Amino acid sequence: MDHIKQRLIEVAKPKIEALHALNSTHANHVIQEVTLGQVLSGMKGVVSLMTDTSKLDPEEGIRFRGYSIPQLRDLLPKNTTDGEPLPEGLFYLMLMGEVPTKEDVNFISQQWSVRAQGIPSHVFDVINALPKNAHPMIQFNSAILAMSTESQFRKAHLIGMGKDKYWDPMYEGVMDLVSRLPIIAAYIYRRVFHNEKHIDMDPSLDWAGNLAHMMGYDSEEVRRLMRLYMVIHADHEGGNVSAHATHLVGSALSNPYYSFSAGMNGLAGPLHGMANQDVMHWLNKMKREIGVENPSAEQIKRYSQETLAKGQVIPGYGHAVLRKTDPRFTVQLEFAKKYIPNAPLIQIVERVYEVVPDVLSAGGKVKNPWPNVDAISGSLLSSYGINEYPIYTVLFGVSRSLGVLTQLIWDRLYGFSIERPKSQNLDWFIEQVGKNK
Ligand code: CMX
């Protein structure tokens, strides 16, 4: 057994015991009351999941195992002193709850490099069977499902593995799956946008650096950007659609591929991960309709008001939990100002940021008028030459694997039971409200 798995067992043992003690002694403890409004608004604010990997504060934003994004950028191992942290380090942190050493990170990098070689050829056949104009998320999700033929998880179930042991085949499956996602993403990218001229992985590179390399970008600048992108999109606690869907499907003891594919189907929705592509369409449509490349603040304001008047959302703005500017937006803006201060797209993003919060607030119904991660991520990628918008959600998905799949290992370590909330029909809710009168 490698030292990562060994350490995981040590770290997990007291936590599993604490959870079992909590559950056996306090199972009837009332956590909170739930209002009808919460049920009807998609369970917002209802505490009904246990997630250790990260926590989202409405004012402060995301913390991964207690660390904010600026802290992670200081603490996690990097390839160069002025570079971005390696996502392998964030994976370790989310899995273990401890900051990794450079050796831990190198070990994971090497493991992923080796495991990545194991993609069965039928996975590429499945991708190639789809029309090239199928959205890259369709190709990505189909490939993830096709890879499940390799899963040891189902086999473990068939030989009657005990509930307390499922974490092990889950860990193995997660390590395989995460290692292979950059190859799948880059394969789809080169297939759709670069005449199927595929590029082999470079085993000497790290996970995110390799993704940039296989997509066809070999500068240190793009590798640095890709590392940042892969770190900031990795997790957003347990209730967001991609994390919750992965967790829910996993609760039926589905293998990691089925579970992650479910999460990715959720990520492909325009209110979630697909918003990064939609932001680019919105910006381009605005430029086209106004007839200028560089719209003024006043023009953006008017266009935003028109978007709302048509009953459409302004993509990249608003959030179900956050009530301030998303720190993932801020860190990308800082990155852009440092490395590409004159990029025209970033200047437009800043101008949008100046006017859209007021426009949304004036409408009176949006709870959070501030930008989220997607308001800038596409413009940043595009400023570095990655202009093919439909790949953006796939890149989000590659990163999101780090958080939702480390939590899936913990789900099996904790031995969580199958998820099964209660539903009621409209009459039942009307009756309840009547009773309370
Ligand atoms: N533009 C226009 N209207 C918006 C809006 C926006 N950016 N954000 C919220 N609203 C509207 C909602 O549609 C809702 O309208 P109705 O009452 O008519 O249904 C109202 O304001 C209240 O919504 P809310 O409570 O503030 O926000 P929700 O929790 O319901 O939704 C989110 C959150 C992210 C889906 C929403 O803000 C949105 O649609 N934003 C644009 C899409 C986007 O950027 N999504 C990416 C989120 C981050 C991610 O997951 O990647």
Side-chain angles (χ1 to χ4, degrees):
M1 186 180 288
D2 69 53
H3 81 278
I4 304 267
K5 260 165 98 170
Q6 197 65 51
R7 181 77 194 124
L8 181 60
I9 295 171
E10 287 162 18
V11 167
K13 196 165 176 283
K15 296 197 115 211
I16 296 166
E17 284 166 6
L19 177 73
H20 289 169
L22 192 71
N23 197 17
S24 59
T25 320
H26 299 288
N28 293 326
H29 182 85
V30 178
I31 301 283
Q32 66 175 165
E33 289 186 336
V34 176
T35 65
L36 175 66
Q38 285 181 303
V39 173
L40 298 184
S41 72
M43 298 187 281
K44 306 267 168 55
V46 178
V47 179
S48 49
L49 294 162
M50 188 180 282
T51 303
D52 283 350
T53 48
S54 68
K55 190 168 166 153
L56 183 59
D57 181 86
E59 307 291 321
E60 198 197 36
I62 191 70
R63 278 182 182 266
F64 301 86
R65 292 280 190 177
Y67 296 103
S68 67
I69 289 174
Q71 286 172 329
L72 287 186
R73 290 174 89 205
D74 275 347
L75 276 174
L76 290 179
K78 301 167 184 162
N79 268 359
T80 53
T81 45
D82 65 339
E84 290 297 322
L86 295 165
E88 288 88 331
L90 180 59
F91 178 87
Y92 183 99
L93 174 71
M94 286 192 286
L95 184 64
M96 224 68 89
E98 297 169 348
V99 176
T101 62
K102 185 73 168 72
E103 288 67 44
D104 294 325
V105 167
N106 289 345
F107 181 83
I108 293 178
S109 257
Q110 282 155 11
Q111 278 265 317
W112 286 355
S113 213
V114 173
R115 288 172 186 258
Q117 321 280 343
I119 304 177
S121 61
H122 72 258
V123 174
F124 300 102
D125 295 341
V126 166
I127 297 173
N128 291 332
L130 288 163
K132 269 195 194 172
N133 64 1
H135 193 281
M137 280 304 279
I138 299 176
Q139 304 190 40
F140 187 58
N141 293 350
S142 304
I144 292 165
L145 269 186
M147 282 194 284
S148 72
T149 52
E150 301 307 288
S151 175
Q152 298 300 313
F153 197 77
R154 172 83 181 138
K155 288 174 196 143
H157 179 72
L158 288 175
I159 60 165
M161 178 171 266
K163 196 178 174 185
D164 59 329
K165 307 232 163 33
Y166 275 116
W167 71 270
D168 195 334
M170 181 58 83
Y171 172 90
E172 294 298 332
V174 165
M175 290 291 277
D176 285 346
L177 176 50
V178 172
S179 78
R180 293 167 189 176
L181 292 174
I183 295 185
I184 299 295
Y187 185 89
I188 294 165
Y189 178 71
R190 301 292 301 181
R191 170 175 191 248
V192 176
F193 302 111
H194 291 273
N195 295 321
E196 302 185 73
K197 295 206 167 71
H198 298 293
I199 300 170
D200 287 338
M201 72 177 285
D202 174 351
S204 71
L205 283 172
D206 57 286
W207 186 73
N210 234 319
L211 171 58
H213 162 71
M214 290 183 285
M215 286 174 70
Y217 301 89
D218 266 322
S219 68
E220 190 48 36
E221 284 74 21
V222 177
R223 282 183 202 159
R224 181 168 51 207
L225 169 69
M226 203 55 86
R227 289 175 195 128
L228 174 80
Y229 190 100
M230 290 296 132
V231 164
I232 63 173
H233 289 83
D235 209 25
H236 227 214
E237 77 171 30
N240 68 79
V241 172
S242 50
H244 190 186
T246 305
H247 165 82
L248 167 67
V249 173
S251 83
L253 287 187
S254 302
N255 73 40
Y257 302 86
Y258 286 134
S259 307
F260 184 58
S261 162
M264 290 301 96
N265 289 328
L267 193 76
L271 298 188
H272 190 16
M274 194 70 85
N276 58 12
Q277 176 180 349
D278 286 359
V279 168
M280 301 312 288
H281 291 311
W282 186 78
L283 291 175
N284 282 340
K285 200 156 169 260
M286 169 169 69
K287 289 195 256 177
R288 250 192 342 266
E289 288 186 12
I290 300 173
V292 292
E293 261 310 294
N294 199 3
S296 67
E298 193 49 43
Q299 286 170 318
I300 296 171
K301 184 175 170 186
R302 237 175 295 130
Y303 187 77
S304 307
Q305 288 165 334
E306 283 163 23
T307 303
L308 294 189
K310 284 185 213 151
Q312 294 165 0
V313 297
I314 299 178
Y317 280 76
H319 200 272
V321 178
L322 284 167
R323 294 295 175 257
K324 286 271 168 67
T325 295
D326 191 336
R328 301 171 302 172
F329 172 87
T330 310
V331 76
Q332 291 180 89
L333 188 56
E334 285 167 4
F335 183 96
K337 282 181 165 171
K338 180 169 174 190
Y339 294 113
I340 46 166
N342 300 319
L345 260 174
I346 300 298
Q347 288 169 4
I348 298 176
V349 165
E350 282 195 89
R351 224 167 293 139
V352 172
Y353 185 26
E354 271 168 41
V355 299
V356 162
D358 282 346
V359 171
L360 283 173
S361 297
K365 66 173 181 177
V366 176
K367 293 194 190 67
N368 172 41
W370 302 107
N372 60 56
V373 68
D374 302 312
I376 184 169
S377 59
S379 297
L380 193 53
L381 289 167
S382 186
S383 301
Y384 278 87
I386 305 173
N387 282 309
E388 300 85 357
Y389 311 148
I391 203 66
Y392 294 171
T393 311
V394 171
L395 298 179
F396 192 156
V398 175
S399 165
R400 190 45 64 98
S401 71
L402 300 173
V404 301
L405 291 174
T406 43
Q407 184 57 46
L408 201 58
I409 296 170
W410 274 96
D411 289 355
R412 299 289 73 78
L413 278 163
Y414 283 143
F416 285 147
S417 64
I418 190 163
E419 198 169 293
R420 183 46 167 104
K422 178 75 187 148
S423 66
Q424 292 286 4
N425 61 20
L426 176 62
D427 291 343
W428 184 88
F429 284 104
I430 293 172
E431 202 181 302
Q432 294 302 305
V433 174
K435 266 189 210 162
N436 288 347
K437 270 187 197 157

